[in-house]
Amino acid sequence: MAQQVELKRGLKDVYIDRSEASFIDGSIGKLIYRGYNIHDLAEKSTFEETICLLLYGKLPTRRELDEFEAQLKASRAIPNEIVEIIRIAQKAHPMDVLRTAVSALAAFDPEVSDNSREATLRKGIRLTAQGPTIVTTHARIRDGKDPIPPNPNMNQAANFLYTLFGEEPDPADAKLMDLDFILHAEHGINASAFAARVAASTIADLHAAVTAGIGTLKGPAHGEAAEEVMKMALDIGDESRAEEYTRKVLESGGRIMGFGHRVYKAVDPRSVHLKDDARALGERKGQPKWFGILSKVAEVMKPYESRGICVNVDFWSGSIYQLLGIPEDLFICIFAMGRIPGWTVQVLEQYSDNILMRPMLEYVGPMDLEYVPIEKRG
Ligand code: COA
């Protein structure tokens, strides 16, 4: 007789370790990176400064930030072999290409198997810097265009838009991208960070852990939601159809993408900034349509707030990316590019007091079956 076990399916509400990286109070929609409220970082910081905060545990001095930015800019190039791999895999989804390229970069990183704190930090910085280069190299190759070399005079956000489109971005667009990266930089032990920590718990290297993180982020229950939200908005097509569309999805037992969260049972604080920006960007680009459609969907979803199904980070971000001219299937890569510093911190924390992650499964299959030779099976 099997012993009675208490299942914690999906590890819901299970604490697996301690962290100094970020704190979420899902009941009131509060998010903190290393002690700093996400609203302050969104309004006052930059992605580069936020990465420093996450990686080194404190806000940098001017000199430290200058040095860090120079290091990041100097690390953006990817080897020709990686460009070749991207070329061969160009028909794949950009997330598959990003995952493959990050994995393949292990073959070229001189410190790949050095899991010391210093080497892992350097690798995290290199992967953060190389992420946009991989994504934009792929986006251009698949469009039959030449990749654009990274621009050392631009920050991560502006450089991403520049290497994607081939022209200097509007500073307001670059600022929005920067904000988006800040908002995506770290989020505790969500599914992708957990995957990265599981890999790290075997003492696998950072490239392995980030590859696991990217692979796990890909699903629509996690990172793919922004793309799904935009597909929904395109499907709706006009604000006048939004209410009927939303009700139909809900009545048929479907889910509205960009709503609900395992931890947030109140409005996701990151979505507040993105909502304001989606509205402003729509007006600036003379395309208020998407904001109108999504606002209507949000209005229909309002009663669900009392059940803890509230707007999340992905709801407004898709429309922002769309208005910036970014192809839909790149949306999730933006999340991944922003999250590499967060995964790095999670891996560092795992290494610092490691324990192998090895939960249990309750076996519910048959027992003690008699082995029948193949020729006697019916
Ligand atoms: N639209 C409508 N109903 C939703 C919903 C949504 N987006 N998200 C959750 N629900 C409902 C479920 O149908 C379920 O209802 P039930 O109790 O009547 O069966 C209930 O809320 C709980 O859902 P569950 O999947 O158990 O909660 P969870 O905490 O495991 O789910 C998500 C979290 C993110 C997987 C879920 O909210 C979801 O699928 N959201 C849409 C995808 C998305 O936006 N993902 C990005 C997250 S940042």
Side-chain angles (χ1 to χ4, degrees):
M1 186 67 186
Q3 96 194 71
Q4 282 290 317
V5 296
E6 190 193 349
L7 293 183
K8 305 267 187 187
R9 296 196 66 235
L11 297 179
K12 218 169 180 167
D13 300 326
V14 174
Y15 286 79
I16 61 150
D17 218 323
R18 299 196 169 92
S19 174
E20 294 178 0
S22 61
F23 168 75
I24 304 166
D25 184 341
S27 65
I28 54 168
K30 184 171 185 173
L31 171 61
I32 276 170
Y33 292 172
R34 292 209 183 267
Y36 295 92
N37 194 299
I38 194 65
H39 295 310
D40 279 340
L41 295 171
E43 283 158 21
K44 299 170 193 162
S45 187
T46 61
F47 184 44
E48 282 74 4
E49 187 183 60
T50 299
I51 304 173
C52 274
L53 172 67
L54 287 170
L55 294 184
Y56 302 108
K58 67 172 191 66
L59 286 172
T61 61
R62 166 58 56 200
R63 218 184 100 216
E64 286 166 343
L65 183 58
D66 287 347
E67 278 172 18
F68 178 76
E69 287 178 353
Q71 190 184 357
L72 202 56
K73 284 172 178 166
S75 308
R76 288 179 179 150
I78 52 174
N80 288 338
E81 289 88 339
I82 299 292
V83 178
E84 251 342 278
I85 289 171
I86 293 172
R87 211 179 284 285
I88 292 163
Q90 63 180 283
K91 292 212 169 75
H93 189 284
M95 261 311 254
D96 296 340
V97 174
L98 179 62
R99 189 192 61 234
T100 302
V102 165
S103 177
L105 273 170
F108 304 93
D109 196 301
E111 297 184 293
V112 66
S113 52
D114 183 347
N115 289 348
S116 66
R117 181 177 168 76
E118 293 67 29
T120 302
L121 278 167
R122 284 191 294 272
K123 288 186 283 184
I125 293 166
R126 281 198 283 280
L127 284 177
T128 302
Q130 289 165 325
T133 313
I134 295 167
V135 173
T136 60
T137 296
H138 173 232
R140 291 188 67 85
I141 286 177
R142 71 176 178 174
D143 283 354
K145 297 175 187 156
D146 287 332
I148 294 173
N151 186 326
N153 299 317
M154 293 183 182
N155 66 12
Q156 283 287 104
N159 176 66
F160 167 62
L161 293 174
Y162 168 72
T163 52
L164 182 61
F165 298 124
E167 51 191 55
E168 203 166 313
D170 182 322
D173 291 354
K175 185 82 200 93
L176 255 181
M177 224 34 258
D178 189 66
L179 168 71
D180 196 274
F181 284 149
I182 293 172
L183 297 176
H184 281 98
E186 158 62 24
H187 213 231
I189 193 80
N190 56 17
S192 55
F194 181 58
R197 271 192 181 248
V198 171
S201 82
T202 71
I203 331 269
D205 55 72
L206 185 71
H207 285 75
V210 172
T211 303
I214 296 172
T216 310
L217 179 64
K218 195 183 173 204
H222 195 359
E224 208 191 30
E227 183 178 334
E228 295 297 317
V229 172
M230 202 55 222
K231 280 188 189 146
M232 173 180 73
L234 287 161
D235 218 16
I236 294 173
D238 189 84
E239 194 179 326
S240 63
R241 294 190 55 233
E243 182 167 352
E244 192 196 344
Y245 181 101
T246 311
R247 291 198 194 288
K248 266 195 184 149
V249 171
L250 294 169
E251 276 159 26
S252 64
R255 292 182 179 208
I256 299 297
M257 293 292 121
F259 275 82
H261 198 275
R262 177 58 68 80
V263 181
Y264 291 117
K265 299 304 164 197
V267 170
D268 181 335
R270 301 167 297 176
S271 72
V272 177
H273 298 274
L274 296 172
K275 179 181 180 183
D276 292 345
D277 286 334
R279 181 197 290 117
L281 183 64
E283 282 163 13
R284 183 156 63 82
K285 301 270 180 193
Q287 291 184 56
K289 174 175 163 170
W290 305 118
F291 186 79
I293 291 173
L294 293 180
S295 297
K296 199 78 202 164
V297 173
E299 201 180 299
V300 180
M301 289 299 289
K302 196 80 186 153
Y304 282 71
E305 272 188 20
S306 59
R307 287 175 54 195
I309 302 168
C310 305
V311 67
N312 65 46
V313 68
D314 291 315
F315 189 66
W316 301 105
S317 55
S319 65
I320 292 176
Y321 305 149
Q322 171 88 5
L323 287 164
L324 291 177
I326 298 169
E328 264 168 54
D329 59 0
L330 258 58
F331 292 3
I332 185 170
C333 295
I334 298 174
F335 189 155
M337 289 185 281
R339 184 55 56 86
I340 293 174
W343 288 328
T344 305
V345 175
Q346 295 287 335
V347 166
L348 281 167
E349 287 193 341
Q350 187 64 38
Y351 287 158
S352 72
D353 186 18
N354 191 44
I355 177 166
L356 177 70
M357 302 263 196
R358 205 312 187 181
M360 302 287 283
L361 286 172
E362 181 186 16
Y363 178 71
V364 292
M367 290 281 209
D368 305 325
L369 298 180
E370 188 189 343
Y371 182 86
V372 180
I374 194 160
E375 56 281 1
K376 294 198 175 158
R377 289 175 213 158

